Amino acid sequence: MLETIRKAAGTWVARALLAILALSFVYWGADTRTTNTGTTVIATVGGKSITQSDLERAFENEINAISQRAGRRITQTEARSLGLDKRALTRLIGTTAIDKQAGDLGLAVSEQTAAESITRDPAFHGIDGKFDRPGFNNLLRSIGMSERDFIDLRRREEIRDQITQSVLQSIVTPKPLVKAVHEWREETRVVEHFTLEGEKAVTVAEPDATKLKETYEANKAQFMAPEYRQMQVLLLSVEALKGQMDVPDAEIARSYEETKETYATPELRRVQQISFKDKAAADKARAEIAGGKNFMTVAEEMKLKDTDVELGLINKKALIDPKIADAAFSIGKDKVSDVVEGRFATVIVRVPEIVAGKQPSLEDVKDRVKEKLQREKARGEIKKLRDEVDDLRTAGKSDKEIAEATKLKLIDVAEADASNKTKDGRTALEHPDAAKLIASGFDARTGIERDPVDLTDGGYGWVTTTGTTPARQKPFEEVEGDTKALYVSTERSRLLRELAQKTADRISAGEAIEKVAAEFNAKLEKTEPITRSTSPQGLTEQAVRQAFALALGKAGHSETSDRKGRTVVRVLEIKPAAEPAKEQALKLAAEIGQQIQLDTLDAFVNAVQDAAGVSINEALLKRALGGADQ
């Protein structure tokens, strides 16, 4: 079971979370102390307990972290589909194992040291750069922790950090690896290609009755009439509820004053930037510009393209380097900055266009402010109404009775398959969360209540399945036309693959690609030099991969994006990667180094928890993670 959890944590979501959070093991509110206040123990690590409530709290923290970065509230259903519940348990097991390792090593941090660390942390500073006590108190209230518990949490984080940093400090990014990755990424190829169109290039003979029957028997699963379900959907939606929320004008005005900067349109500037290999080269170019040379002429002499120079019309926050941002937003229109030594490059910038920012008045944004406040109030009413609905359902009330009592919307779905389609192909349920609601209806047995579905807007939907029309096998006579279409499509694809392979073999053997393309009246095209990450017009990702797998002068083929043809490709030119610029090599080394750190940290945590010993209550874990559907 533990190995399954580890594999689940290897998804892109887990990697993203690890990159953001793992190096410091920050876990606000995830308390893995051994005290058990009666909740069932879901796992033990070296004698330390992880309870179901620990997991629920950790799962909520994962949702909060992702929601903040996504700019909207992620529902529990979405979070489970992304594996965040398994990720939460993986992190709990890892941090608990690290805590045990710290205890075995006798590591400790005093409460005073932890408290001082909190006051120094910029995350808890106000706009004056000093520790913000009211803001800190608000944080404690929002996460339901006392100050002492938070300091204790910080103390344990400091100890974990001592251990993990001791592991990571010894890591060195191998230069040969950086060189190999650069060469692999930056190698360029020129590719010739043409397309064989399936319907023109090959002819499929008319199938007889025997072939059609064979096709039908071999693909019976494709000729099933799906199961249909009838269901009722009771909706508690923030979007619907917000219209019932009263917001006085005085409250709208107060909210506007408190958050007016969020409605402002920032100043935009069109920024041009030239990067130099060192400050001496930048100083020389700046002096030439001061002497009358055109900014773009300097760029052209350095063989830079417009795309290398133009950063676009952007706001200040779009420039990651603060020094460059300050320079670009402090000079006048058509002016050129002094030399700026940034984090990753030495540059000079020019601003040919400035679009002034705007602070709208209350009247300009009154409707937006009101809607925001209505939405906030609606979210505050959601839990109260959910509890009311749950109580009524527990009391045996029907969905219709509940809808009448609570003024909630009730939708009758007459028929829907698992893809939310009716028998005539129309959409069965029109709703932003229709897929989740229909899935809930198909999870349930007729007449059995399910837990509510988390809606994207923060509301809930209760789905009751009221009837089922079972799936059935369509007889051959009913789908004879579809069977013939499947046979023709399959046979055409087979013949086209064979033709494309023979065509590629001819070209690889030395026949002129121009002559071969002309035989098929196909247009021969040639790309500019491309890398493995390039997506040139007319070539799919698969075709690009094929081109980089071929030797010089050799040909291959791949399916077109519409799956109706095959693209034949030939490698015309291979150019090895040039030596990387200093800043490019440093950036790549940092990227590879971070990945090595993540992999090393992952291996270290696994080793520590294996040494500590992990035991999991699998039955309880299955229930905690959502039952058999997980």
Side-chain angles (χ1 to χ4, degrees):
M1 187 64 176
L2 182 58
E3 185 60 28
T4 301
I5 295 171
R6 284 180 183 164
K7 289 179 179 178
T11 63
W12 70 267
V13 175
R15 284 291 183 186
L17 284 171
L18 192 60
I20 297 167
L21 303 172
L23 291 180
S24 62
F25 276 88
V26 173
Y27 216 103
W28 308 122
D31 192 342
T32 58
R33 290 173 291 184
T34 60
T35 55
N36 188 345
T37 59
T39 54
T40 306
V41 174
I42 207 166
T44 57
V45 182
K48 290 177 175 283
S49 298
I50 297 174
T51 66
Q52 185 168 351
S53 61
D54 289 333
L55 178 57
E56 290 170 354
R57 192 161 54 242
F59 181 37
E60 184 66 21
N61 288 336
E62 293 285 353
I63 293 175
N64 290 340
I66 288 295
S67 296
Q68 186 176 10
R69 287 160 180 79
R72 68 175 181 85
R73 181 66 182 174
I74 303 298
T75 67
Q76 288 200 0
T77 302
E78 289 175 308
R80 286 194 170 94
S81 71
L82 294 172
L84 297 188
D85 48 357
K86 299 181 182 71
R87 172 65 185 157
L89 180 58
T90 302
R91 286 176 57 80
L92 280 174
I93 291 172
T95 53
T96 305
I98 292 291
D99 287 346
K100 182 182 183 302
Q101 175 79 351
D104 293 344
L105 294 173
L107 299 178
V109 170
S110 69
E111 286 190 4
Q112 181 179 352
T113 301
E116 291 173 352
S117 172
I118 292 171
T119 61
R120 292 194 302 268
D121 192 333
F124 306 119
H125 288 179
I127 57 176
D128 60 356
K130 298 179 181 179
F131 178 66
D132 181 7
R133 165 58 72 175
F136 180 67
N137 290 338
N138 287 336
L139 170 66
L140 294 180
R141 282 194 295 272
S142 68
I143 62 177
M145 292 186 74
S146 69
E147 183 174 313
R148 178 172 293 278
D149 285 342
F150 193 89
I151 291 173
D152 183 51
L153 177 63
R154 186 60 170 243
R155 180 180 57 79
R156 284 179 283 121
E157 287 167 0
E158 296 278 354
I159 296 172
R160 292 170 193 158
D161 191 57
Q162 290 179 27
I163 294 175
T164 56
Q165 288 304 313
S166 67
V167 174
L168 300 179
Q169 284 174 355
S170 61
I171 294 174
V172 177
T173 304
K175 289 184 179 179
L177 178 58
V178 176
K179 183 174 183 292
V181 172
H182 171 77
E183 290 174 349
W184 186 85
R185 285 185 179 181
E186 301 302 323
E187 175 192 320
T188 62
R189 296 191 173 202
V190 176
V191 179
E192 296 177 299
H193 61 95
F194 64 89
T195 297
L196 299 174
E197 298 181 21
E199 294 185 359
K200 295 180 180 179
V202 297
T203 301
V204 180
E206 189 73 14
D208 56 26
T210 301
K211 288 180 179 178
L212 289 180
K213 281 289 182 69
E214 289 175 351
T215 301
Y216 172 79
E217 291 296 330
N219 298 276
K220 271 191 168 183
Q222 295 191 41
F223 304 113
M224 292 288 294
E227 175 185 332
Y228 290 91
R229 294 201 171 191
Q230 299 81 50
M231 58 189 79
Q232 288 185 323
V233 181
L234 183 66
L235 293 174
L236 171 53
S237 166
V238 171
E239 195 63 30
L241 192 60
K242 73 179 184 182
Q244 304 173 27
M245 300 295 108
D246 180 52
V247 183
D249 286 346
E251 188 175 344
I252 295 174
R254 184 169 59 254
S255 176
Y256 169 77
E257 289 301 325
E258 291 174 351
T259 62
K260 64 191 308 181
E261 68 279 355
T262 64
Y263 300 100
T265 302
E267 177 185 313
L268 300 178
R269 293 189 171 210
R270 188 171 304 282
V271 180
Q272 298 172 333
Q273 173 181 293
I274 301 177
S275 298
F276 298 89
K277 62 182 180 180
D278 53 42
K279 188 173 184 301
D283 286 336
K284 179 183 176 185
R286 184 63 184 87
E288 291 174 345
I289 292 172
K293 182 176 284 190
N294 185 275
F295 183 88
M296 293 305 295
T297 301
V298 173
E300 290 168 4
E301 290 175 352
M302 295 176 63
K303 298 189 175 359
L304 295 177
K305 301 177 183 177
D306 287 349
T307 53
D308 297 326
V309 176
E310 292 284 350
L311 302 185
L313 192 64
I314 56 178
N315 61 38
K316 189 173 182 178
K317 289 183 178 179
L319 291 167
I320 299 174
D321 193 314
K323 288 185 178 180
I324 296 176
D326 288 342
F329 278 77
S330 63
I331 58 177
K333 182 177 179 296
D334 294 326
K335 299 298 182 181
V336 178
S337 73
D338 292 330
V339 174
V340 182
E341 294 185 85
R343 289 177 178 173
F344 305 106
T346 299
V347 306
I348 55 176
V349 295
R350 177 175 179 268
V351 178
E353 180 183 355
I354 298 176
V355 179
K358 180 184 178 183
Q359 176 64 60
S361 67
L362 172 59
E363 287 304 314
D364 293 333
V365 295
K366 185 175 181 179
D367 290 343
R368 289 170 57 192
V369 179
K370 181 179 180 180
E371 184 183 10
K372 183 189 76 170
L373 293 173
Q374 285 179 315
R375 192 180 298 277
E376 290 173 357
K377 289 189 174 186
R379 287 199 180 102
E381 291 291 312
I382 284 290
K383 186 178 186 305
K384 175 184 171 183
L385 279 169
R386 173 182 168 163
D387 291 342
E388 185 178 345
V389 172
D390 285 341
D391 289 342
L392 290 170
R393 288 168 72 87
T394 302
K397 299 295 183 181
S398 68
D399 288 338
K400 184 177 180 181
E401 290 172 323
I402 295 171
E404 291 173 351
T406 58
K407 303 293 191 294
L408 296 182
K409 185 176 182 180
L410 180 65
I411 301 174
D412 282 303
V413 180
E415 62 178 20
D417 66 12
S419 65
N420 192 28
K421 295 295 182 182
T422 61
K423 291 176 183 176
D424 58 3
R426 292 180 294 107
T427 300
L429 175 63
E430 296 282 359
H431 191 275
D433 295 296
K436 293 188 288 185
L437 292 165
I438 294 296
S440 178
F442 271 81
D443 283 343
R445 288 175 292 176
T446 303
I448 302 299
E449 292 184 359
R450 294 276 291 177
D451 290 337
V453 173
D454 297 325
L455 302 181
T456 304
D457 71 354
Y460 300 95
W462 290 263
V463 183
T464 301
T465 302
T466 57
T468 300
T469 303
R472 66 177 180 86
Q473 179 68 58
K474 296 179 181 178
F476 172 75
E477 293 73 20
E478 185 179 337
V479 294
E480 184 174 353
D482 293 335
T483 304
K484 180 179 178 180
L486 176 62
Y487 171 84
V488 171
S489 174
T490 304
E491 185 67 5
R492 179 178 289 118
S493 294
R494 183 185 68 80
L495 294 173
L496 190 60
R497 279 196 304 272
E498 291 179 356
L499 176 62
Q501 185 59 55
K502 290 177 181 177
T503 303
D505 290 344
R506 289 170 58 191
I507 297 169
S508 294
E511 286 195 51
I513 189 172
E514 297 84 356
K515 173 178 173 296
V516 177
E519 291 179 13
F520 296 101
N521 293 320
K523 180 182 178 182
L524 181 63
E525 299 182 74
K526 183 174 77 171
T527 69
E528 296 292 326
I530 61 173
T531 65
R532 285 176 168 85
S533 61
T534 307
S535 299
Q537 187 173 359
L539 291 182
T540 62
E541 290 183 16
Q542 181 184 2
V544 173
R545 286 197 297 271
Q546 174 73 280
F548 275 86
L550 295 168
L552 182 65
K554 299 301 180 181
H557 60 93
S558 68
E559 193 172 44
T560 56
S561 58
D562 62 6
R563 308 186 70 179
K564 294 181 180 180
R566 306 289 297 185
T567 300
V568 178
V569 298
R570 174 180 177 269
V571 180
L572 179 63
E573 177 186 319
I574 299 176
K575 185 176 180 181
E579 285 294 316
K582 182 179 179 181
E583 58 270 16
Q584 186 180 14
L586 289 173
K587 184 177 180 181
L588 180 57
E591 178 187 337
I592 295 172
Q594 184 182 51
Q595 187 60 53
I596 293 173
Q597 285 186 331
L598 294 176
D599 292 341
T600 302
L601 185 59
D602 190 42
F604 171 72
V605 173
N606 285 339
V608 169
Q609 64 191 35
D610 286 346
V614 179
S615 174
I616 294 177
N617 183 334
E618 297 192 24
L620 178 59
L621 177 61
K622 180 177 284 190
R623 290 198 299 272
L625 296 186
D629 61 345
Q630 289 291 325

